[in-house]
Amino acid sequence: STPRHQPRAPRAGPRRAAPRERMKAPALTIPQPLLDRCYAHGAATYPEEGCGVLSGPAGTDAVDGWHAIANVLNAMHAEDPERYPRTAAEGYFMDPAAMMRLEKALAAQGRAVKVIFHTHVDVGAYFSAEDKTRALWAGEPLLPGMVYLVCGVKARQPDGAILAWFDDASRDFATAPVGETPAAQAQP
């Protein structure tokens, strides 16, 4: 008898990798009071960038906590200007010890960091080339699944805000203005 399924002949040429799945836009939303606190923090740290995180119950998309983290980029620049050529007026570097303490405290409460935020001074809200570089390691997200919030602050006043997240299909960060539905922005 003949076998029901004949083996296929090998394909000529390289095999195509399975298409990468597009990372969905974050389901979380930034509550207006937390966004207002991010802007206020940016106004308080102006003309330097402010930074911190937003938190919420672990395992959910809820965001209900705001935490400023010191921007230590000026100290790093003063110590090693070749390695850290930017100052806090042009970038941010969250205090690693403060960040570790916060993450430990949040975990003990069943909470987690959901969003990393920072402000841009007098240039508007966008995910810059430097932001991308700092969020990647060897082309992969340093913190897989993390959402970033960038708040523009111009002359100590709000100047727009965007969310950014890594999209596996494009191998780049996708962005959407805060207040618009990110899912609509992420459709191919």
Side-chain angles (χ1 to χ4, degrees):
S1 78
T2 9
R4 290 176 116 164
H5 301 285
Q6 296 291 328
R8 286 188 176 169
R11 289 174 57 179
R15 295 188 64 101
R16 282 200 273 177
R20 293 182 185 265
E21 191 172 317
R22 181 172 293 277
M23 181 181 167
K24 293 183 169 90
L28 58 80
T29 58
I30 309 299
Q32 190 63 48
L34 296 183
L35 183 61
D36 291 344
R37 288 188 78 179
C38 293
Y39 283 130
H41 182 63
T45 60
Y46 187 91
E48 297 178 346
E49 292 191 9
C51 53
V53 300
L54 304 180
S55 65
T60 73
D61 291 323
V63 177
D64 59 10
W66 179 90
H67 315 270
I69 304 286
N71 182 353
V72 296
L73 194 53
N74 281 339
M76 296 171 73
H77 174 77
E79 188 175 309
D80 189 349
E82 285 188 35
R83 185 171 179 197
Y84 301 100
R86 293 174 181 248
T87 67
E90 308 159 316
Y92 76 101
F93 196 104
M94 289 192 286
D95 180 341
M99 188 66 185
M100 287 177 62
R101 287 190 302 272
L102 176 62
E103 287 182 304
K104 185 176 180 180
L106 289 172
Q109 300 167 13
R111 299 175 61 78
V113 171
K114 304 297 180 99
V115 176
I116 293 175
F117 78 83
H118 73 281
T119 60
H120 277 182
V121 178
D122 295 330
V123 295
Y126 67 100
F127 206 62
S128 70
E130 180 70 8
D131 294 335
K132 289 178 185 183
T133 298
R134 310 263 318 139
L136 296 172
W137 180 262
E140 295 296 324
L142 188 60
L143 301 167
M146 183 58 65
V147 176
Y148 297 86
L149 168 65
V150 182
C151 296
V153 177
K154 185 172 189 173
R156 297 188 192 272
Q157 298 298 312
D159 189 27
I162 60 103
L163 290 178
W165 62 95
F166 190 76
D167 177 64
D168 279 325
S170 68
R171 307 301 300 154
D172 198 2
F173 284 88
T175 63
V178 172
E180 292 185 18
T181 307
Q185 299 288 321
Q187 299 303 317

